[in-house]
Amino acid sequence: MSAGLVPLASTSQIERTPSREDGIPEELEADLRAYGCKLIHQAGILLKQKQVAVATAQILYQRFWYVTSMKQFGIGDVGMGALYLASKLEECPLRMRDLINVYDLLLQQTTHQLSSPAGKGVFKYSPMSYFGNTFYDIKDALVVAEMQILKRLGFNVYVVLPYGTLINYLRVLGLTSHKEACARAWGYLNDAHQTPVYALYAVPTIVSAAIFLSCRHLDISLPSTPPNCWWDLFDAPWEDVWSVCGYVMRLYRDRSPEDRLRVVGMLNKKDVRKWLEENPGACMPEMAITS
């Protein structure tokens, strides 16, 4: 898996992420990654950020967890720092106050969901005091998160987004006139930001997987019999394309209300540490198999 121009996770980082080294199960880590990216997406919409900035933030967020454990930094703080940093990189900078207010709104909504999981009661946002401790605590966490992302990624924040590549591939395959196929493929690329695939595979592979899923769900026939497989045009190995499809489709699986509440209740490092203390052997079977 050659990194090329884009920094990709090493084999050792993929097999044993820092979070798994600290006892967080692989399934839970994937759910926390996805939820952190969802918060970034929701905040980006409320802040009317460019899609490229939101996508860049999600990719930086995913890379961060290959060098740092969720036991050390909260997914909410890191997501906020990633979006703040990405807004600078894409030349659409955010006001720190606006970002903090939006994340405070999202976190209050999460708290409301935890207190009334059945959806009872109407959510009412309570703005924080401009001069209160809460604002300055979140501001400090934001500054620290941005600094740690830069530091732990070695200031390598170069990101290649897949959208231009998708358009070119759709033209080559003659699918640009099929609006639903184009829309579905674009949607799969966006959903893939909730998975770590942009830190694991090259963009041609991810784009090929999005097109494959789109065509499969719409029953669009493309040459798929060796040696005339359409993904070979883009140097995308079939095993990697299939793996990316698995990451994306995992997002759509049914989850119990308990699993959802567990994830939204682990936004900060204190919640993660508390969960690890209450479940000391959660990752032991996986560690035994790996070793």
Side-chain angles (χ1 to χ4, degrees):
M1 193 178 297
S2 176
L5 294 175
V6 183
L8 300 177
S10 65
T11 303
S12 61
Q13 288 174 321
I14 297 171
E15 292 176 349
R16 298 294 299 170
T17 64
S19 296
R20 264 176 271 168
E21 291 285 352
D22 282 338
I24 299 176
E26 182 178 4
E27 193 84 359
L28 178 57
E29 180 186 357
D31 288 341
L32 290 172
R33 283 172 175 261
Y35 186 65
C37 285
K38 180 181 284 189
L39 286 177
I40 293 174
H41 180 71
Q42 292 173 338
I45 292 175
L46 292 175
L47 291 164
K48 298 182 179 179
Q49 271 290 287
K50 297 179 181 178
Q51 184 179 13
V52 292
V54 175
T56 298
Q58 291 173 313
I59 293 175
L60 295 177
Y61 172 88
Q62 292 285 357
R63 289 181 189 171
F64 183 78
W65 299 120
Y66 280 109
V67 294
T68 309
S69 171
M70 294 176 180
K71 186 179 178 181
Q72 296 178 329
F73 298 95
I75 62 172
D77 295 340
V78 174
M80 185 167 52
L83 185 55
Y84 187 61
L85 174 59
S87 72
K88 297 178 182 179
L89 297 174
E90 299 299 333
E91 298 183 353
C92 48
L94 291 168
R95 290 179 63 236
M96 191 177 292
R97 179 73 185 185
D98 293 339
L99 179 57
I100 291 174
N101 281 334
V102 165
Y103 256 83
D104 181 53
L105 167 66
L106 295 174
L107 295 181
Q108 285 194 33
Q109 286 180 331
T110 299
T111 303
H112 175 74
Q113 292 172 1
L114 286 172
S115 60
S116 56
K120 297 179 181 179
V122 178
F123 170 71
K124 185 177 180 180
Y125 175 56
S126 300
M128 70 179 74
S129 171
Y130 190 85
F131 299 104
N133 291 331
T134 302
F135 170 75
Y136 289 103
D137 289 343
I138 300 178
K139 180 180 178 181
D140 290 342
L142 167 58
V143 173
V144 170
E146 181 191 22
M147 177 187 67
Q148 289 295 334
I149 292 172
L150 288 170
K151 175 184 175 183
R152 293 173 185 259
L153 294 182
F155 285 82
N156 190 346
V157 292
Y158 178 68
V159 170
V160 177
L161 298 179
Y163 305 110
T165 303
L166 173 64
I167 293 173
N168 290 334
Y169 286 9
L170 291 173
R171 286 174 177 168
V172 170
L173 296 172
L175 295 175
T176 50
S177 60
H178 202 306
K179 294 184 178 180
E180 189 174 357
C182 297
R184 275 182 173 265
W186 192 283
Y188 286 130
L189 288 184
N190 286 335
D191 289 349
H193 287 295
Q194 297 183 36
T195 75
V197 297
Y198 288 94
L200 302 178
Y201 301 100
V203 166
T205 300
I206 301 170
V207 172
S208 296
I211 296 174
F212 176 81
L213 287 173
S214 179
C215 291
R216 189 166 192 176
H217 288 157
L218 296 174
D219 291 327
I220 298 175
S221 179
L222 291 175
S224 304
T225 304
N228 300 314
C229 298
W230 64 265
W231 51 82
D232 290 336
L233 289 173
F234 313 123
D235 294 325
W238 166 247
E239 293 78 9
D240 291 348
V241 171
W242 188 250
S243 178
V244 173
C245 292
Y247 274 106
V248 174
M249 295 307 297
R250 179 187 177 278
L251 295 172
Y252 312 134
R253 77 192 193 286
D254 291 330
R255 280 170 286 183
S256 66
E258 292 77 13
D259 287 340
R260 294 178 184 273
L261 289 175
R262 180 181 64 169
V263 171
V264 299
M266 298 174 69
L267 281 173
N268 58 59
K269 61 184 179 183
K270 291 182 180 179
D271 295 329
V272 173
R273 291 173 180 176
K274 180 181 178 181
W275 186 88
L276 288 172
E277 291 174 359
E278 295 173 350
N279 302 270
C283 204
M284 291 304 293
E286 181 188 343
M287 294 175 65
I289 293 174
T290 303
S291 59

